[in-house]
PDB file of all heavy atoms in Angstrom:
ATOM      1  N   ARG A 116      37.424   1.246  41.134  1.00 94.00           N
ATOM      2  CA  ARG A 116      38.264  -0.001  40.909  1.00 94.00           C
ATOM      3  C   ARG A 116      37.465  -1.030  40.141  1.00 94.00           C
ATOM      4  O   ARG A 116      37.945  -1.721  39.366  1.00 94.00           O
ATOM      5  CB  ARG A 116      38.639  -0.559  42.306  1.00 94.00           C
ATOM      6  CG  ARG A 116      39.560  -1.765  42.254  1.00 94.00           C
ATOM      7  CD  ARG A 116      40.175  -2.186  43.453  1.00 94.00           C
ATOM      8  NE  ARG A 116      39.152  -2.790  44.389  1.00 94.00           N
ATOM      9  CZ  ARG A 116      39.008  -2.265  45.481  1.00 94.00           C
ATOM     10  NH1 ARG A 116      39.714  -1.174  45.946  1.00 94.00           N
ATOM     11  NH2 ARG A 116      38.089  -2.704  46.356  1.00 94.00           N
ATOM     12  N   ASN A 117      36.106  -1.066  40.497  1.00 94.00           N
ATOM     13  CA  ASN A 117      35.343  -2.132  39.793  1.00 94.00           C
ATOM     14  C   ASN A 117      35.207  -1.694  38.307  1.00 94.00           C
ATOM     15  O   ASN A 117      35.189  -2.525  37.357  1.00 94.00           O
ATOM     16  CB  ASN A 117      33.944  -2.177  40.462  1.00 94.00           C
ATOM     17  CG  ASN A 117      33.944  -2.813  41.666  1.00 94.00           C
ATOM     18  OD1 ASN A 117      34.809  -3.605  42.056  1.00 94.00           O
ATOM     19  ND2 ASN A 117      32.886  -2.522  42.549  1.00 94.00           N
ATOM     20  N   ALA A 118      35.128  -0.346  38.053  1.00 95.00           N
ATOM     21  CA  ALA A 118      35.059   0.119  36.683  1.00 95.00           C
ATOM     22  C   ALA A 118      36.355  -0.121  35.866  1.00 95.00           C
ATOM     23  O   ALA A 118      36.311  -0.668  34.836  1.00 95.00           O
ATOM     24  CB  ALA A 118      34.830   1.605  36.651  1.00 95.00           C
ATOM     25  N   VAL A 119      37.464   0.064  36.556  1.00 95.00           N
ATOM     26  CA  VAL A 119      38.758  -0.178  35.948  1.00 95.00           C
ATOM     27  C   VAL A 119      38.900  -1.738  35.730  1.00 95.00           C
ATOM     28  O   VAL A 119      39.349  -2.129  34.653  1.00 95.00           O
ATOM     29  CB  VAL A 119      39.932   0.327  36.809  1.00 95.00           C
ATOM     30  CG1 VAL A 119      41.266  -0.114  36.272  1.00 95.00           C
ATOM     31  CG2 VAL A 119      39.808   1.924  36.839  1.00 95.00           C
ATOM     32  N   ALA A 120      38.444  -2.563  36.616  1.00 94.00           N
ATOM     33  CA  ALA A 120      38.608  -3.947  36.481  1.00 94.00           C
ATOM     34  C   ALA A 120      37.795  -4.440  35.254  1.00 94.00           C
ATOM     35  O   ALA A 120      38.195  -5.442  34.643  1.00 94.00           O
ATOM     36  CB  ALA A 120      38.107  -4.652  37.759  1.00 94.00           C
ATOM     37  N   LYS A 121      36.707  -3.764  34.993  1.00 93.00           N
ATOM     38  CA  LYS A 121      35.875  -4.141  33.848  1.00 93.00           C
ATOM     39  C   LYS A 121      36.237  -3.407  32.539  1.00 93.00           C
ATOM     40  O   LYS A 121      35.416  -3.564  31.578  1.00 93.00           O
ATOM     41  CB  LYS A 121      34.372  -3.913  34.211  1.00 93.00           C
ATOM     42  CG  LYS A 121      33.849  -4.834  35.303  1.00 93.00           C
ATOM     43  CD  LYS A 121      32.335  -4.448  35.603  1.00 93.00           C
ATOM     44  CE  LYS A 121      31.808  -5.363  36.695  1.00 93.00           C
ATOM     45  NZ  LYS A 121      30.394  -4.967  37.049  1.00 93.00           N
ATOM     46  N   ASP A 122      37.285  -2.785  32.604  1.00 93.00           N
ATOM     47  CA  ASP A 122      37.866  -2.076  31.413  1.00 93.00           C
ATOM     48  C   ASP A 122      36.791  -0.937  30.964  1.00 93.00           C
ATOM     49  O   ASP A 122      36.399  -0.949  29.746  1.00 93.00           O
ATOM     50  CB  ASP A 122      38.103  -3.072  30.308  1.00 93.00           C
ATOM     51  CG  ASP A 122      39.365  -2.681  29.571  1.00 93.00           C
ATOM     52  OD1 ASP A 122      40.012  -1.753  29.953  1.00 93.00           O
ATOM     53  OD2 ASP A 122      39.507  -3.239  28.400  1.00 93.00           O
ATOM     54  N   TYR A 123      36.327  -0.150  31.799  1.00 95.00           N
ATOM     55  CA  TYR A 123      35.350   0.883  31.478  1.00 95.00           C
ATOM     56  C   TYR A 123      36.076   1.868  30.574  1.00 95.00           C
ATOM     57  O   TYR A 123      37.205   2.194  30.605  1.00 95.00           O
ATOM     58  CB  TYR A 123      34.911   1.687  32.750  1.00 95.00           C
ATOM     59  CG  TYR A 123      33.664   1.046  33.275  1.00 95.00           C
ATOM     60  CD1 TYR A 123      33.490  -0.325  33.562  1.00 95.00           C
ATOM     61  CD2 TYR A 123      32.567   1.870  33.626  1.00 95.00           C
ATOM     62  CE1 TYR A 123      32.372  -0.819  34.072  1.00 95.00           C
ATOM     63  CE2 TYR A 123      31.419   1.424  34.192  1.00 95.00           C
ATOM     64  CZ  TYR A 123      31.313   0.157  34.385  1.00 95.00           C
ATOM     65  OH  TYR A 123      30.087  -0.453  34.944  1.00 95.00           O
ATOM     66  N   TYR A 124      35.263   2.427  29.585  1.00 94.00           N
ATOM     67  CA  TYR A 124      35.590   3.533  28.810  1.00 94.00           C
ATOM     68  C   TYR A 124      34.691   4.720  28.999  1.00 94.00           C
ATOM     69  O   TYR A 124      33.526   4.524  29.642  1.00 94.00           O
ATOM     70  CB  TYR A 124      35.583   3.184  27.335  1.00 94.00           C
ATOM     71  CG  TYR A 124      34.176   2.767  26.764  1.00 94.00           C
ATOM     72  CD1 TYR A 124      33.233   3.665  26.450  1.00 94.00           C
ATOM     73  CD2 TYR A 124      33.844   1.302  26.778  1.00 94.00           C
ATOM     74  CE1 TYR A 124      31.889   3.229  26.046  1.00 94.00           C
ATOM     75  CE2 TYR A 124      32.605   0.938  26.377  1.00 94.00           C
ATOM     76  CZ  TYR A 124      31.666   1.903  25.961  1.00 94.00           C
ATOM     77  OH  TYR A 124      30.350   1.540  25.555  1.00 94.00           O
ATOM     78  N   PHE A 125      34.990   5.860  28.656  1.00 93.00           N
ATOM     79  CA  PHE A 125      34.115   7.045  28.669  1.00 93.00           C
ATOM     80  C   PHE A 125      33.958   7.534  27.238  1.00 93.00           C
ATOM     81  O   PHE A 125      34.814   7.391  26.339  1.00 93.00           O
ATOM     82  CB  PHE A 125      34.604   8.180  29.532  1.00 93.00           C
ATOM     83  CG  PHE A 125      35.931   8.863  29.124  1.00 93.00           C
ATOM     84  CD1 PHE A 125      35.880   9.804  28.197  1.00 93.00           C
ATOM     85  CD2 PHE A 125      37.134   8.401  29.640  1.00 93.00           C
ATOM     86  CE1 PHE A 125      37.000  10.433  27.662  1.00 93.00           C
ATOM     87  CE2 PHE A 125      38.326   8.993  29.238  1.00 93.00           C
ATOM     88  CZ  PHE A 125      38.230  10.028  28.299  1.00 93.00           C
ATOM     89  N   GLN A 126      32.832   8.135  26.907  1.00 91.00           N
ATOM     90  CA  GLN A 126      32.506   8.724  25.629  1.00 91.00           C
ATOM     91  C   GLN A 126      32.081  10.146  25.707  1.00 91.00           C
ATOM     92  O   GLN A 126      31.243  10.510  26.633  1.00 91.00           O
ATOM     93  CB  GLN A 126      31.450   7.926  24.906  1.00 91.00           C
ATOM     94  CG  GLN A 126      31.180   8.397  23.498  1.00 91.00           C
ATOM     95  CD  GLN A 126      29.645   7.997  23.139  1.00 91.00           C
ATOM     96  OE1 GLN A 126      28.947   7.576  23.841  1.00 91.00           O
ATOM     97  NE2 GLN A 126      29.501   8.252  21.788  1.00 91.00           N
TER      98      GLN A 126
END
Side-chain angles (χ1 to χ4, degrees):
R116 185 172 66 240
N117 290 337
V119 171
K121 293 179 180 179
D122 217 12
Y123 267 49
Y124 59 83
F125 65 83
Q126 181 205 12

